[in-house]
Amino acid sequence: DTAVSQTPKYLVTQMGNDKSIKCEQNLGHDTMYWYKQDSKKFLKIMFSYNNKELIINETVPNRFSPKSPDKAHLNLHINSLELGDSAVYFCASSQHSSNTGELFFGEGSRLTVL
Amino acid sequence: AQTVTQSQPEMSVQEAETVTLSCTYDTSESDYYLFWYKQPPSRQMILVIRQEAYKQQNATENRFSVNFQKAAKSFSLKISDSQLGDAAMYFCAYMNYGGSQGNLIFGKGTKLSVKP
């Protein structure tokens, strides 16, 4: 079983549409994240949730809204998609109390906005 | 704000040889983590090696080792006996200890090619 799984892995859509990417982790971790990797491969954190509570919210347009129904799931909903939203979005998880600092990443979801 | 710099956009190594990837960072914190992640063409982000700043001993994981120079804020990755499967993007990353854990700050990456 994949520890951190994201769906869909590929998503092609038109400008203006609304789309969601789902993420689930089966590691029993209490903290989940969304990272964005742009076309130049640069990775940057977008959000993090600890036990369903938002703890990091970087400068991200309001069109992006994370939703955490439980601590094993963190979904990313994007409204009114723009061309610049095209990127690979990575979900990750960790155990906040762990002293390793290690994050476990999903395989990424490549979003292409036409 | 913390920053991570990888000054080598691309590197190449002959199979079975050794290569060193450079990374420098800037922080005013004394406790933090440093990481090297590997991203092969499959896109999966794979942790290669981790270093806690309070540990003076350099971390090693099989063929992978780091040279951690805290005063110089340098954290290079050495890959020994390079294999074809080592070809990937390598990202150096920094994380504060405590506080906003999980907020990894990445460098821009180094693309490593391995020649047979």
Side-chain angles (χ1 to χ4, degrees):
Chain A
D1 279 348
T2 305
V4 181
S5 59
Q6 301 178 222
T7 54
K9 294 199 172 23
Y10 296 92
L11 184 55
V12 181
T13 189
Q14 299 287 329
M15 272 175 47
N17 284 350
D18 303 338
K19 291 294 179 185
S20 293
I21 306 171
K22 296 184 177 181
C23 179
E24 175 181 5
Q25 55 94 4
N26 62 7
L27 297 167
H29 289 163
D30 59 4
T31 307
M32 295 184 72
Y33 314 85
W34 279 107
Y35 278 79
K36 178 181 179 181
Q37 187 174 40
D38 64 21
S39 58
K40 295 182 179 179
K41 301 284 190 181
F42 185 60
L43 275 150
K44 188 170 166 48
I45 193 168
M46 300 173 69
F47 304 101
S48 77
Y49 269 74
N50 178 258
N51 281 318
K52 297 168 52 180
E53 181 181 343
L54 181 66
I55 55 173
I56 293 178
N57 183 0
E58 291 295 305
T59 306
V60 175
N62 291 336
R63 300 181 295 102
F64 290 78
S65 53
K67 287 182 171 53
S68 182
D70 55 61
K71 70 177 190 177
H73 296 83
L74 181 62
N75 303 323
L76 183 65
H77 189 76
I78 315 169
N79 289 327
S80 303
L81 279 157
E82 300 178 356
L83 293 176
D85 297 332
S86 295
V88 179
Y89 293 86
F90 284 95
C91 178
S93 73
S94 70
Q95 184 60 29
H96 189 68
S97 59
S98 165
N99 63 356
T100 68
E102 181 176 356
L103 268 63
F104 293 79
F105 283 86
E107 293 179 335
S109 297
R110 181 180 292 279
L111 171 65
T112 302
V113 182
L114 304 176
Chain B
Q2 293 88 5
T3 59
V4 176
T5 302
Q6 293 178 249
S7 58
Q8 305 153 318
E10 295 188 27
M11 291 283 284
S12 181
V13 64
Q14 203 72 36
E15 196 175 5
E17 297 294 311
T18 296
V19 65
T20 298
L21 308 185
S22 301
C23 174
T24 58
Y25 59 94
D26 189 26
T27 183
S28 58
E29 303 291 332
S30 57
D31 290 331
Y32 48 87
Y33 300 101
L34 295 164
F35 306 87
W36 279 97
Y37 278 89
K38 171 185 178 181
Q39 187 179 39
S42 67
R43 282 202 321 246
Q44 181 81 48
M45 293 290 290
I46 303 164
L47 178 65
V48 174
I49 201 163
R50 175 183 64 244
Q51 175 85 40
E52 288 93 337
Y54 68 87
K55 289 186 177 178
Q56 292 186 339
Q57 188 172 7
N58 288 326
T60 63
E61 287 288 341
N62 300 315
R63 297 183 295 107
F64 298 87
S65 61
V66 297
N67 183 2
F68 173 47
Q69 302 287 330
K70 191 172 183 179
K73 296 179 183 173
S74 171
F75 183 62
S76 61
L77 175 69
K78 185 171 83 171
I79 307 174
S80 304
D81 186 24
S82 296
Q83 300 175 0
L84 294 177
D86 294 334
M89 284 289 289
Y90 285 82
F91 293 94
C92 180
Y94 167 100
M95 183 194 302
N96 279 333
Y97 184 83
S100 297
Q101 273 198 346
N103 186 0
L104 279 167
I105 298 166
F106 285 92
K108 292 188 175 181
T110 296
K111 183 176 181 181
L112 179 66
S113 302
V114 180
K115 297 179 180 178

